[in-house]
Amino acid sequence: VTREYVNRFNLSDRYKYIEGDLRRINFGKERYSLIILGHICHSEGKIYTQQLIKKSFRALKKGGILLIAEFLLDNDKAGPLMPLLFALNMLVNTNQGDVFRTVELKRWLHGAGFGQVKILDKAPSVSALILAVKK
């Protein structure tokens, strides 16, 4: 899908793609200005999400951005409704999947070395966008 959009706007020369198993492929070191994890973390569970964040940090150039799109729970895990329902889906349909609290994701990003972490406003039924900048 990404390639289709990039091609549609004649921007193919600006993007590189890595195909393969997220858990096995080497992202490299300081290669990218932007890494997008679009609705990936919830299926990977807590342990591998933290590893994926660290792997992404290593692969980003200084000043690079990690963009994560995810459903996020409030810190008390009482809502919003859509992420709670999605968490139930992860519990039933995956071995490790989960929906994370905002505070958890921020802690993992800072722990990996990211400086600025910003959660963009979201409607309760829409996933959040999280921007983390490599210092």
Side-chain angles (χ1 to χ4, degrees):
V1 173
T2 302
R3 285 180 209 238
E4 289 176 22
Y5 278 102
V6 169
N7 290 338
R8 183 182 305 161
F9 293 101
N10 297 317
L11 299 171
S12 300
D13 59 326
R14 296 186 189 185
Y15 291 89
K16 296 177 188 171
Y17 302 92
I18 301 174
E19 295 181 18
D21 183 334
L22 278 176
R23 295 183 182 196
R24 293 192 177 128
I25 197 159
N26 182 354
F27 289 4
K29 186 174 181 183
E30 298 181 359
R31 293 176 64 184
Y32 303 102
S33 300
L34 172 68
I35 294 177
I36 301 171
L37 300 178
H39 292 283
I40 292 172
C41 298
H42 62 256
S43 64
E44 297 302 313
K46 288 184 180 190
I47 292 170
Y48 193 71
T49 292
Q50 292 174 70
Q51 291 174 0
L52 189 55
I53 287 170
K54 290 175 185 173
K55 190 179 199 179
S56 297
F57 180 84
R58 285 190 300 273
L60 284 168
K61 298 175 185 175
K62 185 176 181 180
I65 297 171
L66 176 61
L67 172 65
I68 301 174
E70 278 296 334
F71 290 114
L72 292 179
L73 292 171
D74 294 335
N75 292 333
D76 62 2
K77 291 189 172 186
L81 179 60
M82 188 59 189
L84 285 173
L85 293 173
F86 197 76
L88 180 60
N89 179 50
M90 290 293 95
L91 179 65
V92 171
N93 292 304
T94 69
N95 291 326
Q96 300 171 0
D98 201 356
V99 176
F100 310 116
R101 296 178 300 142
T102 302
V103 69
E104 289 175 300
L105 200 55
K106 282 184 175 180
R107 184 173 57 244
W108 300 338
L109 289 162
H110 286 299
F114 286 97
Q116 179 185 356
V117 175
K118 184 176 182 179
I119 312 277
L120 301 181
D121 289 339
K122 62 188 184 326
S125 63
V126 180
S127 62
L129 291 177
I130 301 97
L131 299 174
V133 180
K134 182 174 182 177
K135 36 180 173 171

